[in-house]
Amino acid sequence: MKLFAIFGDPVSHSRSPLMHNSVFKHLGYPACYTRVHLKDGSKLRQTFFELGLSGANITVPHKEAAYEACDEIRGFANKVGVVNTIIEEDGKLIGYNTDADGFIYAISEFQSIKKVLVLGAGGTAKALAAKFLEEGMQVSVLNRSQGRLHFFKEIGCKVFNWNDFAIAHYDLVVNTTSAGLKDEELPAPQNLVESILDNVNYVADAIYGKLTPFLKLANQKGLQYKDGADMLLGQGVLANELFTKKELQKEDIKKYMHRSFSL
C-alpha cells in the first residue's frame, strides 16, 4: 500500500484526498492519500521521509520550499522554480509542476485570451505567468509590493505594485493570492479591484470550495468567472498519472476525480 499526501498551511479545506482516494478506490490501485498540516516549509523533506510517502502534492505557501527540497526537478518546474508535485524515486525526491497545465485546462472554455493580469507574486503566480507567456499571451503581474516582482520582470511580464498600477483592459484577471481563503479579504484595495473588474472579460480565482469576496464582486458585475475547482481537477489528473507511473488511464483518473466533487 503506497501512501500519498498533500502538504499545506492551511490544508484542512483540501479536496485532494477525496479526489485521489476516489481514483485509488474505484480503479483498485493499492494506495491511500491524506493531509499533512505543515507550518514550516523547511521541514517538508524531513516530514516526507518520516511518513514514508511515495509522493505528495504541495499547496500554499510551500511550493517554492518544495522546489528546494527536491533532489531533481523535471519539466516545467525547472522554468519557474515552483513545485506542486513530488515523487520518491530510489530515495530521491523528484519535483514537478502540474499547476500551469491544470489552469490552462480550467480556462479552456474562455474565448480569445490574449492579455492577462495576474494578482499576486507567489508560487502559483510564477507557474501561471510563465505558462501564459508560453501560450503567447501578454502578461501583467500586480502585487502589493515591488519586492517579489523581479522574477516576473525577468521572464517578460509587465509588473506593477498597488501604487503604480495604471488601469487597462484585460481579457482575463486571475487571483493567485490567498485573500478570501481563510477570511473575507480582497486581493487588493477595493477601489483597485473594482476598477480592474470594470475592465476585464473573464475572472478566475485559484481558490476553490467557496465564493471568495473577489468572485462575489465579479458575480455582482455580471462577469463570467471560475473558481479553482477545474484547476484543481486538471493538475490532480496530471499528478495522479505521476503517482501511479501512468499505470492508470488519464480518462479514468479524470472520471473518478470529477465524481469526487459531488461527495
Side-chain angles (χ1 to χ4, degrees):
M1 176 72 74
K2 294 181 178 179
L3 180 62
F4 300 93
I6 181 165
F7 290 93
D9 179 27
V11 77
S12 61
H13 69 287
S14 175
R15 292 193 65 90
S16 290
L18 281 172
M19 289 166 49
H20 289 282
N21 284 326
S22 177
V23 173
F24 297 150
K25 176 184 176 182
H26 287 96
L27 297 179
Y29 192 82
C32 181
Y33 190 109
T34 188
R35 300 179 182 90
V36 177
H37 184 199
L38 185 71
K39 287 188 171 292
D40 184 353
S42 68
K43 301 286 180 62
L44 194 153
R45 181 184 177 90
Q46 175 188 337
T47 307
F48 185 103
F49 284 116
E50 285 178 349
L51 293 173
L53 299 177
S54 295
N57 290 124
I58 296 88
T59 188
V60 292
H62 301 316
K63 294 181 183 183
E64 289 159 303
Y67 179 90
E68 298 298 329
C70 290
D71 299 291
E72 182 183 338
I73 306 296
R74 294 179 186 166
F76 184 74
N78 270 308
K79 189 169 187 175
V80 293
V82 178
V83 162
N84 80 313
T85 303
I86 291 177
I87 307 296
E88 185 275 329
E89 287 185 9
D90 300 320
K92 293 183 177 181
L93 298 188
I94 314 299
Y96 299 84
N97 187 293
T98 66
D99 275 340
D101 285 330
F103 194 83
I104 294 300
Y105 165 83
I107 63 168
S108 58
E109 67 189 66
F110 291 163
Q111 302 297 311
S112 302
I113 303 298
K114 296 178 181 177
K115 195 173 179 184
V116 183
L117 176 64
V118 176
L119 305 181
T124 301
K126 286 182 176 180
L128 297 188
K131 191 64 178 180
F132 291 149
L133 290 173
E134 267 192 7
E135 297 287 320
M137 302 175 190
Q138 299 175 43
V139 183
S140 297
V141 179
L142 173 62
N143 193 48
R144 178 194 298 266
S145 63
Q146 201 73 27
R148 304 191 72 185
L149 291 173
H150 180 71
F151 168 87
F152 300 93
K153 190 173 182 179
E154 286 288 300
I155 65 172
C157 301
K158 293 181 180 179
V159 298
F160 305 95
N161 61 45
W162 290 358
N163 296 320
D164 66 10
F165 182 69
I167 296 297
H169 186 273
Y170 295 94
D171 299 308
L172 171 68
V173 59
V174 185
N175 173 40
T176 69
T177 78
S178 59
L181 178 58
K182 296 187 290 184
D183 51 42
E184 291 300 309
E185 298 295 318
L186 288 167
Q190 182 159 348
N191 63 334
L192 188 54
V193 173
E194 293 254 16
S195 297
I196 291 168
L197 293 178
D198 286 337
N199 291 277
V200 70
N201 297 336
Y202 303 108
V203 180
D205 199 319
I207 296 170
Y208 63 91
K210 64 178 290 190
L211 195 65
T212 62
F214 180 63
L215 292 185
K216 286 177 184 175
L217 201 51
N219 183 46
Q220 289 169 14
K221 292 179 179 291
L223 292 166
Q224 187 174 346
Y225 65 86
K226 286 196 142 202
D227 70 4
D230 281 351
M231 178 182 173
L232 178 73
L233 176 64
Q235 67 81 22
V237 170
L238 298 173
N240 199 280
E241 270 197 311
L242 292 169
F243 290 161
T244 61
K245 297 178 172 57
K246 296 192 175 181
E247 292 174 17
L248 304 180
Q249 298 298 310
K250 185 178 290 186
E251 284 306 308
D252 290 335
I253 294 171
K254 180 179 175 181
K255 173 183 175 182
Y256 290 110
M257 278 197 175
H258 194 273
R259 184 176 293 184
S260 74
F261 276 73
S262 64
L263 297 175

